[in-house]
Amino acid sequence: MGVMKRVSTIFRAKANKALDKMEDPRETLDYSYQTQLELLQKVRRGVADVATSRKRVELQMNQVQQQTDKLDRQARDALAAGREDLAREALSRKGGVQGQLNDLRAQYESLQGEEEKLTLASQRLQAKVDSFRVKKETIKATYTAAEATTRINEVFTGISEEMSDVGLAIQRAEDKTEQMKARAGAIDELMASGALSDALGGPPPDDIQAELDRMGASHGVDAELARMKAELSGGGEAPRQISGGPVNDAVPGDANPSYPAQQPHTGEGQ
Amino acid sequence: MIIRIMGEGQRRLPEGALEELNRLDVDLESAVEKHDDAAFGSALRALLEAARSLGEALPDDAIEPSDLILPGEGATIEEVHELLTDGGLIPG
């Protein structure tokens, strides 16, 4: 016997076992209807749970995306400041974070698929439960207990198969959201402690920024110093003599390419 | 003849479709027995494709037992094994 037949036999055996337990077939219908309503509640809760998980992953994707953008920006800043080492570091971290982002995206898609499937399952079950309610009343009104047995068997087996299928789908979705919650929790903690980059093998996440800031700050100080010197020298030749121009000449020009004010040599130093 | 694709719903098949499905089912069964994941995946996909193209979806409010039940998209050999051994996965 092939796989398809064997699976259907197993589903059917399960329904028959449940049927055998019932004494009055018509009671079976009422009991089954109650179970169906409970399952309907459960599948709706399942849809809501998956949606919550999906939204959480979406939120995390946004956070991680921001982190990626930031590292990208830092790499550019670093490169603009002539710090290729720092840019390299930022880009390598960006690669790691990008990996996280790809993982999250895959999780997101998987949850989205689960949500869609469960939503459709819930719609199908709702339609069947409604139809079952009508059939149940018709059977109860039309047939004696003995006559009803065959009709009931068929309807019961049909709905029981659907319920088993939906039950499995809910289990599957629950397993997935549980896994997701654990992983999402771990990423949340990493983001909160600012240690996402740590986990990726790098030093604390803001050291690149700190370095850039430091460079920025010293750049600012240098620029201001240069401006002040320019102001002083702009007053005439005399102050320049006092300030001791030769000191500047001792420093290689290429170390401070941003000091145009100091470039003109007036010959004082020679 | 009615076939259920797990997680997807039921479809009504013309009698002639059975032969084709059974032929594909032999591949699926041997893949399950050999624990051959790759063969299982392709056999299952082929079966699902055939069932979808040959069958017509039953309306949502139909309540009918299926003659055949097919594991759903993305099912693993382990899941099918558990289903087959004692229906151990089936809740309720």
Side-chain angles (χ1 to χ4, degrees), chain A residues 72-139:
Chain A
D72 194 71
R73 220 166 32 241
Q74 287 178 335
R76 278 170 208 281
D77 289 351
L79 209 54
R83 288 291 305 271
E84 194 173 329
D85 58 325
L86 217 50
R88 190 175 292 279
E89 173 66 22
L91 288 177
S92 105
R93 283 185 208 173
K94 185 185 151 195
V97 176
Q98 194 84 46
Q100 292 269 359
L101 192 59
N102 292 342
D103 275 0
L104 284 171
R105 196 166 287 136
Q107 288 176 37
Y108 182 84
E109 277 162 18
S110 148
L111 282 174
Q112 207 173 26
E114 216 57 51
E115 189 180 342
E116 267 167 36
K117 270 194 249 171
L118 222 47
T119 304
L120 288 173
S122 149
Q123 284 165 8
R124 275 197 304 272
L125 185 62
Q126 176 72 67
K128 283 179 168 54
V129 170
D130 289 344
S131 151
F132 184 92
R133 195 189 61 240
V134 175
K135 280 188 166 50
K136 164 172 90 85
E137 294 313 318
T138 313
I139 291 173

Side-chain angles (χ1 to χ4, degrees), chain A residues 76-236:
Chain A
R76 278 170 208 281
D77 289 351
L79 209 54
R83 288 291 305 271
E84 194 173 329
D85 58 325
L86 217 50
R88 190 175 292 279
E89 173 66 22
L91 288 177
S92 105
R93 283 185 208 173
K94 185 185 151 195
V97 176
Q98 194 84 46
Q100 292 269 359
L101 192 59
N102 292 342
D103 275 0
L104 284 171
R105 196 166 287 136
Q107 288 176 37
Y108 182 84
E109 277 162 18
S110 148
L111 282 174
Q112 207 173 26
E114 216 57 51
E115 189 180 342
E116 267 167 36
K117 270 194 249 171
L118 222 47
T119 304
L120 288 173
S122 149
Q123 284 165 8
R124 275 197 304 272
L125 185 62
Q126 176 72 67
K128 283 179 168 54
V129 170
D130 289 344
S131 151
F132 184 92
R133 195 189 61 240
V134 175
K135 280 188 166 50
K136 164 172 90 85
E137 294 313 318
T138 313
I139 291 173
K140 284 207 294 193
T142 322
Y143 299 94
T144 64
E147 285 170 338
T149 308
T150 320
R151 290 290 316 274
I152 290 171
N153 276 1
E154 197 182 311
V155 173
F156 185 84
T157 311
I159 197 83
S160 143
E161 184 187 306
E162 184 72 30
M163 289 166 74
S164 294
D165 192 3
V166 172
L168 282 171
I170 297 173
Q171 266 181 17
R172 202 184 145 94
E174 268 174 6
D175 288 351
K176 254 191 197 164
T177 48
E178 277 312 309
Q179 286 170 13
M180 227 57 91
K181 270 182 203 161
R183 295 177 69 170
I187 294 185
D188 272 349
E189 265 171 46
L190 283 174
M191 298 289 277
S193 65
L196 190 59
S197 299
D198 266 344
L200 298 167
D206 278 324
D207 63 336
I208 292 180
Q209 193 56 50
E211 181 77 19
L212 284 170
D213 288 348
R214 207 159 36 241
M215 285 164 60
S218 67
H219 197 77
V221 170
D222 287 345
E224 197 152 356
L225 270 176
R227 188 171 51 78
M228 284 174 177
K229 282 179 186 166
E231 272 173 22
L232 288 173
S233 66

Side-chain angles (χ1 to χ4, degrees), chain A residues 36-54:
Chain A
Q36 289 161 35
L37 294 179
E38 282 162 25
L39 186 62
L40 211 43
Q41 287 297 315
K42 208 172 157 190
V43 70
R44 287 194 190 126
R45 258 202 314 275
V47 172
D49 283 351
V50 178
T52 307
S53 266
R54 176 182 54 76

Side-chain angles (χ1 to χ4, degrees), chain B residues 36-59:
Chain B
D36 184 341
D37 282 311
F40 173 83
S42 60
L44 182 58
R45 272 193 301 278
L47 260 173
L48 287 169
E49 223 165 89
R52 285 181 193 132
S53 68
L54 297 170
E56 199 176 308
L58 239 56

Side-chain angles (χ1 to χ4, degrees), chain B residues 7-57:
Chain B
E8 198 176 307
Q10 293 168 292
R11 306 184 82 85
R12 193 181 297 282
L13 293 167
E15 286 303 321
L18 190 59
E19 204 178 314
E20 161 90 359
L21 289 179
N22 276 337
R23 194 174 54 75
L24 294 168
D25 195 18
V26 171
D27 296 342
L28 187 71
E29 191 165 31
S30 91
V32 171
E33 272 157 19
K34 287 184 204 146
H35 259 275
D36 184 341
D37 282 311
F40 173 83
S42 60
L44 182 58
R45 272 193 301 278
L47 260 173
L48 287 169
E49 223 165 89
R52 285 181 193 132
S53 68
L54 297 170
E56 199 176 308

